[in-house]
Amino acid sequence: MQLQDKVAIITGAAQGIGLACAQRFVAEGAKVTLNDLDQAGLEAAAARIEAAGGQCLVAAGNVVDRDFVQKMVADTMETLGGLDILVNNAGITRDAIGHKMDETVWDQVIEVNLKGVFNCLQAAMVPMRAQGSGSIINVSSTSRYGNPGQMNYSASKGGVVSLTRTAAKELGKKGVRVNCVSPGTIDTEMLKTVPEDMLELFTQFMVPLARLGRPEEVANLVVFLASEESSYITGQTINVDGGAHMA
């Protein structure tokens, strides 16, 4: 198993990509702290993981709250025995065309999607630096290339990429790797507000693989980046988007 006896924190873990990552991590031998604002969703996720024989800790709270994040890291280390991996997956959308975007909506998205990532990264890097190892995976989005109606979301996800590169440069000599995954159109709750005919048109004409992605397909990459299989990879952003954006 690729993550045997490793300890991970996964934010936004109640559903979608975060839950898929948690399930894969446990299958690969890791112990996980599950974070989300959705208490009921977290408890359901924890029940599924424990039923599969996994060990997990539930940490319901907001990644924007620095005190909460510090406590989550401390509780993880005390209860699960350390911290080897952080998956910064928590994120929200509050879409609006630019000239109609309220300041509050802008602030909410930037706070969760960018400040929240920084809060968790900063808290996790302290024990990782001290032990001389660790892997941090930040979740961006192909919306970082620019997406109408998502000035706030696109800006936040572009910021995550720059944050990843800077952290990788700062932490590399300390043995800590920092990478970024950038999902495209993945079949999660976040897409439920998009009309089905629009999704069909997009996948048929803009995605070479001509379908939506699955959360498990993102989780597969996250597991790889968390494991020693990727031991010489840091500072990278990898798209998981069926070929919609090619380097």
Side-chain angles (χ1 to χ4, degrees):
M1 292 189 283
Q2 295 186 74
L3 303 177
Q4 186 66 48
D5 299 324
K6 298 294 186 181
V7 176
I9 292 174
I10 302 173
T11 69
Q15 61 183 1
I17 291 170
L19 177 56
C21 288
Q23 291 173 310
R24 274 299 315 276
F25 273 42
V26 168
E28 294 293 340
K31 296 175 283 187
V32 295
T33 291
L34 309 175
N35 160 259
D36 207 291
L37 279 174
D38 180 1
Q39 178 80 50
L42 278 182
E43 291 174 358
R48 291 171 67 175
I49 285 171
E50 290 168 352
Q55 183 179 352
C56 65
L57 175 68
V58 169
N62 194 338
V63 293
V64 175
D65 183 342
R66 291 174 62 81
D67 290 338
F68 164 75
V69 170
Q70 294 284 347
K71 184 176 187 304
M72 176 172 66
V73 168
D75 289 348
T76 296
M77 296 184 68
E78 180 179 352
T79 304
L80 300 182
L83 180 59
D84 305 291
I85 303 158
L86 167 66
V87 181
N88 264 317
N89 172 68
I92 62 172
T93 56
R94 298 289 186 270
D95 296 350
I97 293 297
H99 68 282
K100 295 183 178 180
M101 184 171 288
D102 184 84
E103 181 182 8
T104 301
V105 169
W106 170 272
D107 289 345
Q108 287 175 340
V109 171
I110 296 297
E111 279 209 328
V112 174
N113 295 5
L114 189 54
K115 182 182 177 181
V117 169
F118 171 73
N119 285 347
C120 294
L121 187 153
Q122 187 180 52
M125 73 168 66
V126 175
M128 288 182 181
R129 281 171 54 96
Q131 69 196 19
S133 65
S135 179
I136 297 171
I137 300 101
N138 299 323
V139 179
S140 179
S141 166
T142 55
S143 290
R144 76 184 194 278
Y145 293 113
N147 210 20
Q150 292 193 318
M151 281 189 176
N152 49 5
Y153 188 74
S154 297
S156 71
K157 293 303 186 178
V160 167
V161 172
S162 295
L163 179 62
T164 297
R165 290 172 178 164
T166 302
K169 290 179 179 181
E170 290 186 0
L171 295 171
K173 290 182 180 178
K174 298 297 183 181
V176 181
R177 297 182 297 108
V178 189
N179 289 291
C180 188
V181 300
S182 180
T185 47
I186 308 299
D187 191 9
T188 65
E189 287 297 315
M190 197 173 278
L191 284 187
K192 299 304 183 187
T193 58
V194 180
E196 195 169 316
D197 58 340
M198 288 182 62
L199 282 178
E200 179 68 19
L201 281 171
F202 179 81
T203 55
Q204 289 304 311
F205 292 100
M206 300 299 292
V207 181
L209 292 184
R211 64 173 176 83
L212 297 178
R214 300 186 300 274
E216 310 85 68
E217 293 175 306
V218 181
N220 290 339
L221 175 59
V222 175
V223 167
F224 170 71
L225 292 173
S227 77
E228 286 303 306
E229 295 293 319
S230 61
S231 57
Y232 199 54
I233 300 175
T234 195
Q236 303 305 306
T237 298
I238 304 174
N239 292 341
V240 189
D241 66 352
H245 301 85
M246 298 187 184

